Amino acid sequence: MGRIIFNNMTIEEMKPFFCEIGEKEFRAEQLFTFIHKNHVNSLEDITVFSKDLRDKLNSIGEIDRIRVYRRFDSKIDDTKKYLFLLRDGNIIESVLMKYKYGYSACISTQVGCRMGCLFCASTKEGCIRNLNPSEMAEQIYAIEDDLGIRIGNIVFMGSGEPLDNYDNVLKFLNIIHHEKGHNLSYRNITLSTCGLVPKIYDLADEGIPITLSISLHSPFDDIRKTIMPIAKVYSIEEIINACRYYFKKTNRRITMEYTLMKGINDSIRDLEELVRILKGLNCHVNLIPLNPIKEFDSGKPKDAIIELFVKELKKANISATVRREMGADINAACGQLRRRFANRVDN
Ligand code: SAH
């Protein structure tokens, strides 16, 4: 068996672990707090443990920290983009955004992505591997430690499809929410998915009230199929039914992401159909002007079209906002920076 990465363990897993190695169960809380609240760099820094206990733990496993590889600061707003170096040489990216209500981090769940959405930079080289729970948590802690801040909101909108790395994402949620660690409210977490329907049902049944966000991008299955391969597997109707179930179980309003792409999904017909399919669903529409990438540049829709979408959705009692473009000067769109820079650094 390989060495244990202690950051990957929930408290529920740590308790039996300490008993198995002949130690008291309360050590679990101590170890968890030192890792997830105090962000210690190594077992040596856990001063409440005796040298013997530290040596014993050291012989079994370690605490894994990720390193900031590069940081890019937007000159337009307070957005910061981070590239992190993982121990196997892979690079991942995260974005920090400052809002009126505090700091929000956009984190990655996979190195790359295998969903193949045409307009998305993250998926162009496929999925290299899943991130483990510690690598998700570390994106948060490394940014907090770099800037001396507390991150109060997390969105799963970096590289990767979170529901395609379901078990690790769930474990990460348990860890980041735990009161002995970061203690982040589930309500401050948003998970975005391109629509893996069975996993939406599974998530609804977990009983954790995070916000579910669906990358819809078109109200028509045939158009959706041309820009999002997953649409060939699950229809919009199936997604909406899963959303209704999610709302019934969690009471959380669903977010619908709609990236406006000129000539693809920005016509009056698209708008009317969007209103029709969303009517009666408790949801909020987030309109995102396309952030063009070199493989896909339909062009951004005109401001007047964006405004019309907002106006007509609101008229139909569907709340809608336009996502402010943040960090436009630092390639803040999903997966863009990692690609432009270096996908991998060999140690
Ligand atoms: N895999 C998840 C998270 C992806 S990123 C998902 O599909 O939801 C978060 C959002 O950014 C998604 O809605 C995604 O479709 C959108 N997105 C990706 N590339 C984009 C681009 N170039 N311009 C605008 N939005 C983009």
Side-chain angles (χ1 to χ4, degrees), residues 80-127:
K80 293 187 195 313
K81 183 121 187 180
Y82 285 85
L83 288 178
F84 293 112
L85 182 58
L86 306 180
R87 56 163 59 196
D88 64 359
N90 277 303
I91 283 187
I92 52 165
E93 62 187 78
S94 322
V95 184
L96 178 77
M97 292 153 293
K98 193 176 176 186
Y99 291 100
K100 284 195 287 292
Y101 52 80
Y103 286 100
S104 181
C106 170
I107 65 165
S108 294
T109 53
Q110 294 176 319
V111 182
C113 181
R114 64 189 183 112
M115 294 297 125
C117 299
L118 250 60
F119 46 83
C120 180
S122 298
T123 191
K124 295 299 169 197
E125 280 113 35
C127 179

Side-chain angles (χ1 to χ4, degrees), residues 113 115 117 119-121 156-162 192-195 213-217 228 257 259 288-293 323 333-334 336:
C113 181
M115 294 297 125
C117 299
F119 46 83
C120 180
F156 288 96
M157 293 187 189
S159 297
E161 166 50 51
S192 176
T193 177
C194 59
S213 185
I214 304 288
S215 296
L216 188 63
H217 305 328
M228 303 175 73
E257 287 159 276
T259 294
I288 314 165
L290 176 75
N291 207 328
I293 60 171
R323 183 181 297 169
C334 195
Q336 280 195 50

Side-chain angles (χ1 to χ4, degrees), residues 228-247:
M228 303 175 73
I230 193 70
K232 295 176 191 150
V233 186
Y234 304 110
S235 68
I236 295 170
E237 191 184 352
E238 287 171 306
I239 293 176
I240 303 247
N241 285 339
C243 288
R244 287 191 208 288
Y245 183 78
Y246 191 86
F247 179 74

Side-chain angles (χ1 to χ4, degrees), residues 73-336:
D73 298 353
S74 169
K75 292 182 184 68
I76 303 170
D77 49 47
D78 281 322
T79 304
K80 293 187 195 313
K81 183 121 187 180
Y82 285 85
L83 288 178
F84 293 112
L85 182 58
L86 306 180
R87 56 163 59 196
D88 64 359
N90 277 303
I91 283 187
I92 52 165
E93 62 187 78
S94 322
V95 184
L96 178 77
M97 292 153 293
K98 193 176 176 186
Y99 291 100
K100 284 195 287 292
Y101 52 80
Y103 286 100
S104 181
C106 170
I107 65 165
S108 294
T109 53
Q110 294 176 319
V111 182
C113 181
R114 64 189 183 112
M115 294 297 125
C117 299
L118 250 60
F119 46 83
C120 180
S122 298
T123 191
K124 295 299 169 197
E125 280 113 35
C127 179
I128 299 177
R129 72 168 173 87
N130 284 332
L131 295 185
N132 57 43
S134 76
E135 290 165 330
M136 295 179 219
E138 281 298 312
Q139 296 172 58
I140 307 292
Y141 307 157
I143 296 174
E144 291 186 327
D145 294 346
D146 182 43
L147 302 173
I149 57 165
R150 177 180 161 85
I151 289 170
N153 283 269
I154 298 177
V155 295
F156 288 96
M157 293 187 189
S159 297
E161 166 50 51
L163 295 187
D164 189 37
N165 184 13
Y166 189 84
D167 292 345
N168 284 335
V169 164
L170 226 65
K171 213 164 161 186
F172 162 72
L173 289 170
N174 172 318
I175 288 172
I176 206 77
H177 171 69
H178 204 286
E179 58 175 9
K180 298 288 176 192
H182 196 288
N183 197 11
L184 191 79
S185 164
Y186 283 135
R187 290 167 187 281
N188 295 354
I189 301 175
T190 298
L191 183 146
S192 176
T193 177
C194 59
L196 303 188
V197 168
K199 295 289 180 201
I200 296 176
Y201 283 99
D202 289 347
L203 189 65
D205 289 335
E206 302 286 352
I208 49 175
I210 61 172
T211 300
L212 177 68
S213 185
I214 304 288
S215 296
L216 188 63
H217 305 328
S218 171
F220 295 110
D221 280 318
D222 54 346
I223 302 291
R224 218 170 163 259
K225 283 179 194 166
T226 65
I227 50 173
M228 303 175 73
I230 193 70
K232 295 176 191 150
V233 186
Y234 304 110
S235 68
I236 295 170
E237 191 184 352
E238 287 171 306
I239 293 176
I240 303 247
N241 285 339
C243 288
R244 287 191 208 288
Y245 183 78
Y246 191 86
F247 179 74
K248 201 170 87 191
K249 286 293 218 168
T250 62
N251 217 20
R252 300 293 292 159
R253 186 175 74 164
I254 311 290
T255 302
M256 290 287 168
E257 287 159 276
Y258 197 100
T259 294
L260 282 155
M261 308 171 202
K262 198 171 163 188
I264 294 175
N265 62 6
D266 67 338
S267 70
I268 303 294
R269 191 172 153 260
D270 292 309
L271 176 54
E272 285 171 356
E273 183 65 2
L274 184 62
V275 168
R276 196 188 69 76
I277 66 165
L278 296 185
K279 263 234 146 119
L281 179 72
N282 205 323
C283 73
H284 170 86
V285 177
N286 209 335
L287 296 159
I288 314 165
L290 176 75
N291 207 328
I293 60 171
K294 80 171 186 303
E295 296 87 347
F296 189 94
D297 184 4
S298 68
K300 287 185 198 191
K302 294 201 171 70
D303 285 349
I305 295 283
I306 303 177
E307 280 157 31
L308 184 70
F309 266 69
V310 175
K311 197 175 114 209
E312 291 300 316
L313 284 163
K314 284 190 175 160
K315 221 198 256 173
N317 280 325
I318 302 167
S319 85
T321 46
V322 181
R323 183 181 297 169
R324 273 192 299 145
E325 195 172 9
M326 299 185 86
D329 55 332
I330 50 166
N331 288 47
C334 195
Q336 280 195 50

